[in-house]
Amino acid sequence: MPKSRHLLFLAILLICISCQPKDPNAFESDLIIYGGTSAAITAAVQAKKMGKTVIVVSPDIHLGGLSSGGLGFTDTGDKSVIGGLAREFYHRIYMHYQKDDSWKWQKKEDYGNVGQGTPAIDGDARTMWIFEPHAAEQVFEDFVREYDIQVYRDEWLDREKGVSKSNGKIVSIKTLSGKTFEGKMFIDATYEGDLMAAAGVSYHVGRESNDTYGETWNGVQFGVYQHGHYFRDSISPYVVPGDPSSGLLPEISDEIIAPNGSGDSKLQAYNFRMCLSRHPDNRLPFPKPDNYDPFRYELLARVYAAGWDETFDKFDPIPNLKTDTNNHGPFSTDYIGKNYAYPEASYEERREIIKEHKDYQMGLMYFLANDPQVPEKVRNRIAEYGLAKDEFTDNGHWPHQIYVRESRRMIGTDVMTEHEVLGDREVISPIGMGSYHLDSHNVQRIVGPNGYVQNEGDIGVKPKEPYSISYGTIIPKEEECENLLVPVCVSSSHTAFGSIRMEPVFMILGQSAATAAALAIEDNIAVQDLPYEKIQQRLKADGQVMVLKERL
């Protein structure tokens, strides 16, 4: 064939190939991030800042996870160790509330300045740590818009056969809608760790025994009352007080308590961080669930009858006469013992668990507002509150995100334990810092050995000072996966995770995970083989605080 005809043939062939229709459900990027949490978005921003293409595959429609899902009274800890993009988030919150039109239901000067361990509005540092859900969501959407981040929402990983691996690496993930996302690196930024699990990475669910890592505060902790979330009075657990033959009241387990320090597969309780309004023009009455049964809350009625009076202690004020409302007391918004199946449950089963939590919590609020067994002064005050009309407007003004305080936890290259958190063991290769106390909500509600009802699992042990978090906690063992990073379901014990699991820390670890992913792409190496000095240098340049002497 003459050379000219040969070249013409090649040209026609290339044209034909280029004209082949592309699969509209196939997408490719340097980095694929699964999840819509605060960690997911900070990771995506960091990847873009480092010149990498990135796609966020989010099961959620609304971005930001708990940070935009009602947890506006930030668990700050020591704010001086919150740097990088996490601090940028809280700076943007500050700038939002500098605008007069952000104060619709309350004058700024009337708000006060109460935060959790720090002023709500820190004018010197130009950060704000307390905020409304919609304000947080807007910051995450601004990040997405400004950095031109591709986000595919309502896309759920096919957990059965949606992860394709080759030679120890994830090649692509597939969602239930049929979309396929191919990448060089992957980040699992979900609260549940679904991608991590589907990729065959080792993990743990529940509490390890104290013997596992030589800890003190892991496992069963009956009789340890470090917060106010326990029964201080002798409350009978039986339908007929004092009569075991009458059966247990609702919301009490019939399990026998295991020895202290023993491990189990149980989880600390979940709830919804409700955003309530005290402005008469911006509140809605608490709705009555279809399956409402006041007897479900008989145990709370007995707590009131015994004289307990702390109902409103965790109605924490956020701007515009709203609250971030959290669990408080022996019987409250935490739905104790009803989430054990959640981590491994199917999507359908999880939706049922979430609905049960919502029904329980909505019923609780209706009970507080209407039941004559509730003290009149409580009913009168609860009448000042209602669901905020201008929050979660597409979900009946109820939070989109349940508070998954703990789910799967990876067993990675390193495992953070209470020894590192409490400063008893040095952390090698730090990529960020935490500072909150070892914090677990109650895990179970049982009948104690004395025949009265009691909660178990609530701990709160404060570290001496902020602590570093190692790079090895966000990467799997190399033989399990070479191109995955996990900044939320980190490799840690139950007790250590109780401190690490704060939203600012998730943002910090999201940025660090994306940094490592980008550097590993550039060097074409496994995340486990990345020289720590490279990560350290880049993170330091980007304002991440990794050791105590660097704090802001």
Side-chain angles (χ1 to χ4, degrees):
M1 181 186 296
K3 185 175 181 180
S4 58
R5 290 184 65 188
H6 181 72
L7 291 173
L8 178 62
F9 175 78
L10 285 176
I12 293 171
L13 181 62
L14 288 172
I15 291 171
C16 290
I17 292 172
S18 66
C19 290
Q20 291 291 322
K22 293 183 178 179
D23 184 348
N25 287 319
F27 307 89
E28 187 177 347
S29 186
D30 291 331
L31 176 61
I32 305 297
I33 300 171
Y34 184 60
T37 61
S38 59
I41 304 307
T42 51
V45 170
Q46 181 68 6
K48 293 287 281 192
K49 289 180 72 172
M50 294 182 70
K52 300 296 178 281
T53 57
V54 61
I55 295 174
V56 174
V57 183
S58 173
D60 312 305
I61 295 172
H62 297 272
L63 303 179
L66 260 297
S67 285
S68 60
L71 206 168
F73 197 75
T74 303
D75 298 312
T76 314
D78 186 332
K79 67 185 178 185
S80 70
V81 301
I82 301 172
L85 288 172
R87 182 160 284 257
E88 170 68 14
F89 170 82
Y90 296 106
H91 170 66
R92 289 185 177 221
I93 292 289
Y94 172 85
M95 295 304 295
H96 170 80
Y97 285 107
Q98 292 301 299
K99 297 181 289 188
D100 290 341
D101 60 3
S102 295
W103 297 90
K104 182 176 180 181
W105 306 107
Q106 181 182 35
K107 293 180 180 178
K108 182 180 179 182
E109 55 269 25
D110 294 337
Y111 166 59
N113 205 22
V114 177
Q116 188 170 176
T118 186
I121 307 172
D122 186 344
D124 293 336
R126 293 172 63 80
T127 51
M128 188 163 174
W129 307 93
I130 313 296
F131 46 85
E132 299 160 279
H134 75 267
E137 186 172 359
Q138 187 57 58
V139 171
F140 290 116
E141 292 292 350
D142 288 345
F143 275 140
V144 167
R145 175 179 50 80
E146 291 170 23
Y147 287 91
D148 193 25
I149 297 168
Q150 281 185 285
V151 180
Y152 291 85
R153 305 175 197 239
D154 198 21
E155 290 291 341
W156 299 79
L157 176 68
D158 181 343
R159 290 159 57 189
E160 298 299 321
K161 51 183 184 298
V163 176
S164 176
K165 289 180 72 177
S166 178
N167 297 320
K169 294 181 180 181
I170 301 172
V171 176
S172 64
I173 63 173
K174 188 174 184 179
T175 60
L176 294 178
S177 71
K179 293 183 178 65
T180 300
F181 300 89
E182 183 177 336
K184 299 172 183 175
M185 287 283 160
F186 292 80
I187 290 177
D188 184 340
T190 63
Y191 292 120
E192 295 83 5
D194 283 342
L195 173 56
M196 169 189 76
V201 171
S202 299
Y203 60 87
H204 187 85
V205 175
R207 300 182 286 188
E208 298 90 351
S209 71
N210 274 328
D211 291 341
T212 305
Y213 298 115
E215 295 177 295
T216 300
W217 301 109
N218 214 329
V220 175
Q221 297 288 322
F222 184 76
V224 177
Y225 308 126
Q226 294 171 334
H227 295 117
H229 312 316
Y230 64 97
F231 292 87
R232 303 172 200 179
D233 300 288
S234 299
I235 306 293
S236 176
Y238 304 112
V239 173
V240 177
D243 180 6
S245 67
S246 64
L248 290 172
L249 288 173
E251 315 310 337
I252 301 174
S253 170
D254 62 0
E255 286 196 34
I256 303 299
I257 192 72
N260 272 14
S262 58
D264 55 31
S265 59
K266 297 178 171 66
L267 301 169
Q268 59 177 306
Y270 297 173
N271 71 344
F272 288 93
R273 297 290 285 251
M274 297 178 296
C275 183
L276 307 182
S277 172
R278 288 193 295 117
H279 197 288
D281 295 332
N282 192 39
R283 70 175 182 235
L284 293 166
F286 296 111
K288 182 179 181 179
D290 292 339
N291 58 358
Y292 175 72
D293 179 1
F295 187 64
R296 189 175 197 178
Y297 310 99
E298 170 66 21
L299 187 55
L300 177 57
R302 294 184 186 182
V303 172
Y304 279 128
W308 184 80
D309 190 21
E310 299 176 14
T311 304
F312 299 95
D313 279 20
K314 285 302 292 178
F315 280 48
D316 294 312
I318 63 176
N320 284 307
L321 293 177
K322 297 176 187 174
T323 74
D324 168 357
T325 309
N326 196 17
N327 172 76
H328 185 76
F331 190 106
S332 186
T333 58
D334 275 2
Y335 195 27
I336 299 172
K338 306 303 172 69
N339 59 341
Y340 302 157
Y342 183 87
E344 304 284 17
S346 67
Y347 293 135
E348 183 178 357
E349 290 167 338
R350 283 183 188 165
R351 283 191 288 270
E352 276 300 309
I353 293 169
I354 291 169
K355 183 181 184 302
E356 289 169 4
H357 278 70
K358 181 179 178 181
D359 287 346
Y360 164 80
Q361 195 164 331
M362 288 182 71
L364 172 66
M365 300 312 294
Y366 186 84
F367 178 84
L368 291 173
N370 296 281
D371 199 283
Q373 295 182 92
V374 176
E376 185 177 8
K377 65 178 182 179
V378 174
R379 282 182 281 128
N380 289 342
R381 189 171 172 198
I382 206 79
E384 299 174 9
Y385 293 90
L387 301 179
K389 285 184 181 179
D390 59 350
E391 299 289 353
F392 314 121
T393 55
D394 63 346
N395 197 46
H397 312 283
W398 193 261
H400 312 108
Q401 176 67 57
I402 192 170
Y403 197 167
V404 179
R405 288 191 172 94
E406 192 171 5
S407 183
R408 300 183 179 99
R409 298 187 312 280
M410 180 170 64
I411 303 174
T413 302
D414 296 336
V415 179
M416 284 283 289
T417 70
E418 66 185 50
H419 301 298
E420 288 79 19
V421 172
L422 298 179
D424 298 327
R425 187 182 294 159
E426 184 182 1
V427 171
I428 308 300
S429 306
I431 55 168
M433 298 193 75
S435 61
Y436 209 76
H437 50 269
L438 304 173
D439 181 46
S440 174
H441 282 232
N442 279 305
V443 175
Q444 52 188 334
R445 178 179 291 134
I446 47 82
V447 180
N450 61 0
Y452 296 110
V453 64
Q454 193 52 267
N455 297 331
E456 181 277 320
D458 181 88
I459 60 170
V461 181
K462 187 175 177 59
K464 296 186 290 286
E465 59 186 13
Y467 58 90
S468 297
I469 301 169
S470 73
Y471 177 53
T473 64
I474 67 169
I475 56 175
K477 297 169 184 173
E478 188 163 5
E479 62 269 22
E480 293 183 343
C481 193
E482 297 180 7
N483 65 337
L484 175 68
L485 299 107
V486 185
V488 176
C489 294
V490 297
S491 179
S492 63
S493 69
H494 161 72
T495 49
F497 192 76
S499 175
I500 294 169
R501 65 179 180 84
M502 305 305 154
E503 287 291 297
V505 180
F506 287 156
M507 293 187 220
I508 290 167
L509 297 181
Q511 179 177 2
S512 297
T515 300
L519 294 172
I521 289 170
E522 291 171 5
D523 291 352
N524 193 28
I525 57 175
V527 293
Q528 294 85 359
D529 297 334
L530 186 64
Y532 170 68
E533 293 72 22
K534 277 198 166 187
I535 309 173
Q536 180 187 42
Q537 183 178 8
R538 177 67 198 221
L539 288 177
K540 193 169 184 178
D542 287 337
Q544 199 77 291
V545 181
M546 294 169 283
V547 294
L548 203 55
K549 64 184 179 181
E550 296 174 338
R551 62 176 169 178
L552 301 172

